[in-house]
Amino acid sequence: MSATDRCKAFEHAARQEAALQAVQDGTDASDAGYIERFVRVATLQERHRAAQTLAGAAAPAPLPPPPPPPTSERPFYEARAEAAYAKRPPTRGEEPLVDVRGESYRRVLRDCPILAKSDARALARAAARGMVGAFRNNGSTTLGCAAPEALQGRLDDVSIATIRRCVVELRRLAAEAAGVDERRLALSGAFLARLQPPGAAARRRALESKPRGYWNVHVDEYNVDTYEHTTLLYLSDHGSDFTGGRFVFYDGDGVDRYLEPSAGTVICFRGDAANLHAVEKVSSGCRFALTALFHESSDPGPLFEAGGGGGDPYASWDALLRSAAETSLMAQDARRRDLLDDASSAPVAARLATDLRGDWCDARVAYDGEVVSDTGPAPDAVLVDLVAAALRRDDGGAFDVFGESDESSDDGAPPRLLTYAAARGAHGPSGTLSWRRARYTLMDGGEEVASCSCEVTFTRDGAQKRLVFGGDITVVVDELAATAHNSGTGHALWPGAVALALYVVGREHAAQSVVELGCGACALPGRAAAAMGGTVTLTDGAPALLPVLRKLDGVDACLYNFAGGGAFDGLDAAAEPSEPPAPADLVLGAEIAYRAADAEALADCIPRRLADGGTAVLCSDEKRAPLKLCGELLRKRGFVVEDSVLTLTVTPDEGAAATHRVRVVRASSSSSVGAS
């Protein structure tokens, strides 16, 4: 049975599961937006699983059963709130919540004009769609709203504008209730929250994080000291949309004062110890609310945070996990920082902590046996390619061109090159490509430096990329995936290499002789310079790469480790080097400075490899500090150094564009700073 049929059967099963889950998540089975997004997330994870299969990874062991939810009706996680609750007199019953004036105020506004009931319900449905692929915590799912642009791709523009307007109005109501100047209130946090019965996602884990009861009794200022004023706008109705889930204050007189939420109702209160409170566990349905918290400041600044987002959160499995961390994990959560660490070369999926469950749904591609043929729409093309490659695994695989030629496996078979999909995002964006054709554009402020088209063809051993820069400048690179004994970072095309190639094409026309340092297997910047007519020498510190580089047309290659020894890319760089390359007019290096020692080594190397009057151009991700340090060291050596941050945009034929900020250090020598 073909890979296409198997993928169709998988998507059909995922679609059926999505229709059932839509009802549980607060929308309905006719919500096409929710269903398409659910199937998309399932497909992204299945791509990831297929990549692991191709990499020869053992099937993941079944996850242990999720920890049981807290048994207490009121679990405590903050000692001061627990102590305050323990000091209360015995409960004397409960009463409906009423307004309280004074410093520790409370205010309830039913049928508040901020948002009509119908609009509140519409925002709840939009939130349900936006929470597809977000982390869930024992029935609680949140989407952070302090930087609304971070929700682009999850929420539509109308919903984001509605959130902005509501938060502004909630600040006004908080100021009125507290008796303070609205202009003094700064936003401490804002989020959409959906509460469901605990354990609602236990069957499929649904990106479940470590269970923790949302119904704990707490004081807002005890949780975060800037939560001085709290406001909530409810988006669903108690009794019809959900049961349980009442908002309750536990007061010092022993009376529990409760509010049964309804769509459009607003509650405001001070976040101090006088307002000890909790949300009761939801018994059925979904309870949606928009929460905004404020603190008083003499210089509050802009109400909302800037930045966030910047790409399609459903473009790849890693993009999804990154978006989930950015939007649905609290800012103080250490796991969020780990998943958003741009300095880490590991794919986001590899950084998931053991208490962040990564199973999305029950649907799976069946690799064995027959499946029921489906006449539905064409399945995801990338998934079909990956599944087809996985089904061909048993034909012996490919040879490992980066391994020792006489190495063999235990069964005598030649070592197998891990296929391209095995990258799983580990070497830049290519490991989780969601497009086949795109355009790269390098911008310096408002000026376009250069652009090129890129067409991807998946091959058995990796992926071939054809980059057309215009005119006669075309470079075809073969990306190869990691082998079992190296990280693979030198075998694929990083954004910094594309950006450097575009910079060379756009601004470095005159170079007659060129050396590229640490070129890796793709060597795009050097090969682009060769296509422009330059005499190019490619260098790398990995001995096993030399035979690969010498097969490339129009360039020379030599073994040269600019850092003078050590291990590069998991390969032995301690072998006897070739003669160093002759000094050149232009020295290039892309994504080769990761540590301070690399910066110092480059600053020592470049004067030796540059001819008099030559120029070095280095490029890397903006966040890699060693490249900036290298520029400073070269400036101290007498170089004229330009350090700038440019923008590389990838615009696929289909799907959302992605943006990478890259640092370019251009160092020009004079006759007094020459080779030695």
Side-chain angles (χ1 to χ4, degrees):
M1 181 161 283
S2 71
T4 299
D5 287 338
R6 294 181 184 278
C7 292
K8 277 188 175 183
F10 154 72
E11 289 193 7
H12 179 73
R15 200 169 297 277
Q16 289 182 315
E17 187 174 342
L20 295 173
Q21 191 61 36
V23 178
Q24 291 188 34
D25 283 351
T27 178
D28 56 63
S30 64
D31 190 334
Y34 177 96
I35 291 173
E36 291 304 318
R37 195 167 287 180
F38 185 102
V39 174
R40 178 65 177 168
V41 174
T43 299
L44 293 177
Q45 183 162 49
E46 206 59 23
R47 284 189 195 175
H48 178 68
R49 289 195 179 99
Q52 290 182 305
T53 300
L54 287 167
L63 287 169
T71 56
S72 169
E73 287 299 308
R74 300 186 181 93
F76 285 101
Y77 301 106
E78 212 289 330
R80 288 173 294 176
E82 181 176 10
Y85 185 80
K87 291 178 180 178
R88 291 177 73 240
T91 298
R92 296 193 295 109
E94 59 182 33
E95 298 175 357
L97 181 62
V98 295
D99 287 359
V100 175
R101 303 293 180 180
E103 185 176 354
S104 296
Y105 63 89
R106 298 171 188 171
R107 187 180 181 192
V108 180
L109 297 97
R110 296 176 174 83
D111 300 319
C112 182
I114 286 183
L115 204 60
K117 185 178 286 286
S118 60
D119 293 334
R121 289 181 171 279
L123 183 55
R125 287 171 62 87
R129 290 189 289 272
M131 290 171 180
V132 173
F135 286 110
R136 187 184 312 228
N137 188 338
N138 204 28
S140 170
T141 310
T142 61
L143 288 179
C145 302
E149 279 64 39
L151 295 173
Q152 289 177 345
R154 286 187 173 273
L155 297 181
D156 58 86
D157 291 343
V158 171
S159 298
I160 291 174
T162 299
I163 290 169
R164 279 181 164 274
R165 179 171 60 83
C166 289
V167 172
V168 169
E169 288 297 305
L170 289 171
R171 179 173 69 165
R172 178 180 62 81
L173 293 176
E176 289 178 0
V180 300
D181 186 341
E182 176 184 349
R183 293 169 296 180
R184 291 181 53 203
L185 291 185
L187 187 63
S188 305
F191 53 88
L192 286 165
R194 177 183 61 203
L195 302 183
Q196 297 169 274
R203 178 167 172 260
R204 57 182 175 82
R205 305 275 162 74
L207 302 183
E208 181 81 14
S209 60
K210 188 174 182 180
R212 178 173 177 176
Y214 59 75
W215 56 96
N216 62 304
V217 179
H218 61 281
V219 171
D220 289 346
E221 281 188 339
Y222 290 171
N223 289 341
V224 178
D225 57 11
T226 57
Y227 287 179
E228 297 174 3
H229 304 278
T230 301
T231 61
L232 294 99
L233 168 61
Y234 293 105
L235 308 177
S236 47
D237 288 335
H238 182 272
S240 57
D241 296 321
F242 65 94
T243 60
R246 299 186 307 173
F247 187 98
V248 184
F249 284 107
Y250 297 100
D251 289 337
D253 61 0
V255 177
D256 300 342
R257 293 179 170 86
Y258 66 87
L259 172 69
E260 295 180 346
S262 60
T265 294
V266 170
I267 180 174
C268 310
F269 59 93
R270 188 168 185 89
D272 61 10
N275 286 324
L276 183 72
H277 64 279
V279 175
E280 295 175 336
K281 281 194 289 187
V282 172
S283 303
S284 65
C286 292
R287 175 192 190 272
F288 287 92
L290 171 63
T291 298
L293 305 109
F294 304 94
H295 65 278
E296 297 175 33
S297 172
S298 58
D299 183 20
L303 180 58
F304 296 100
E305 296 175 10
D312 180 4
Y314 302 98
S316 69
W317 185 239
D318 261 29
L320 174 76
L321 293 175
R322 182 180 180 85
S323 168
E326 185 176 16
T327 59
S328 62
L329 292 179
M330 297 296 287
Q332 58 267 36
D333 193 329
R335 299 169 302 182
R336 183 182 191 273
R337 293 192 294 272
D338 290 342
L339 295 178
L340 299 180
D341 181 8
D342 288 318
S344 173
S345 62
V348 180
R351 296 181 236 161
L352 284 176
T354 55
D355 61 351
L356 289 176
R357 308 292 178 170
D359 286 349
W360 175 247
C361 71
D362 293 333
R364 299 284 189 277
V365 171
Y367 289 92
D368 300 317
E370 297 295 313
V371 298
V372 177
S373 181
D374 186 78
T375 58
D380 179 78
V382 175
L383 179 60
V384 171
D385 281 352
L386 293 173
V387 171
L391 292 170
R392 295 195 299 267
R393 284 186 7 165
D394 297 332
D395 61 5
F399 291 94
D400 184 351
V401 297
F402 289 108
E404 298 294 335
S405 59
D406 59 352
E407 183 182 346
S408 62
S409 60
D410 293 340
D411 58 7
R416 182 174 65 84
L417 177 70
L418 302 184
T419 59
Y420 174 71
R424 290 168 288 172
H427 21 265
S430 303
T432 50
L433 275 175
S434 58
W435 48 265
R436 302 298 184 85
R437 286 174 298 278
R439 187 158 198 86
Y440 287 104
T441 305
L442 184 66
M443 300 293 294
D444 186 356
E447 176 190 354
E448 179 177 317
V449 177
S451 65
C452 69
S453 63
C454 178
E455 184 167 352
V456 181
T457 303
F458 290 110
T459 65
R460 175 173 163 177
D461 300 338
Q464 187 174 85
K465 289 186 172 180
R466 179 182 179 87
L467 296 102
V468 179
F469 296 85
D472 297 327
I473 307 174
T474 297
V475 181
V476 178
V477 299
D478 290 303
E479 289 192 315
L480 298 172
T483 64
H485 54 274
N486 74 71
S487 68
T489 54
H491 310 154
L493 200 55
W494 285 77
V498 178
L500 182 56
L502 289 169
Y503 192 94
V504 169
V505 170
R507 293 188 174 172
E508 302 293 341
H509 309 284
Q512 298 298 309
S513 58
V514 181
V515 168
E516 183 177 358
L517 303 173
C519 66
C522 296
L524 176 62
R527 295 175 66 193
M532 294 169 63
T535 301
V536 176
T537 301
L538 304 176
T539 74
D540 201 275
L545 277 177
L546 198 57
V548 178
L549 298 176
R550 284 176 173 165
K551 292 178 181 178
L552 300 176
D553 294 332
V555 294
D556 293 325
C558 73
L559 182 67
Y560 178 70
N561 184 353
F562 72 82
F568 270 70
D569 199 26
L571 297 166
D572 181 13
E576 189 67 28
S578 310
E579 285 296 316
D585 300 328
L586 180 63
V587 172
L588 304 174
E591 303 284 7
I592 56 175
Y594 292 86
R595 300 157 296 186
D598 298 336
E600 294 167 357
L602 273 172
D604 287 338
C605 167
I606 285 172
R608 295 180 172 85
R609 301 283 65 84
L610 271 184
D612 286 352
T615 299
V617 183
L618 309 173
C619 183
S620 76
D621 184 285
E622 178 201 9
K623 295 184 177 64
R624 299 198 195 284
L627 183 57
K628 186 176 182 65
L629 172 61
C630 179
E632 294 169 355
L633 293 173
L634 288 171
R635 187 177 285 112
K636 291 179 180 179
R637 292 171 181 264
F639 283 79
V640 177
V641 176
E642 302 170 28
D643 185 332
S644 54
V645 175
L646 281 66
T647 301
L648 177 69
T649 301
V650 190
T651 309
D653 285 357
E654 297 180 0
T659 299
H660 305 274
R661 288 171 60 84
V662 294
R663 180 178 300 280
V664 175
V665 170
R666 187 180 189 273
S668 301
S669 71
S670 64
S671 57
S672 62
V673 187
S676 59

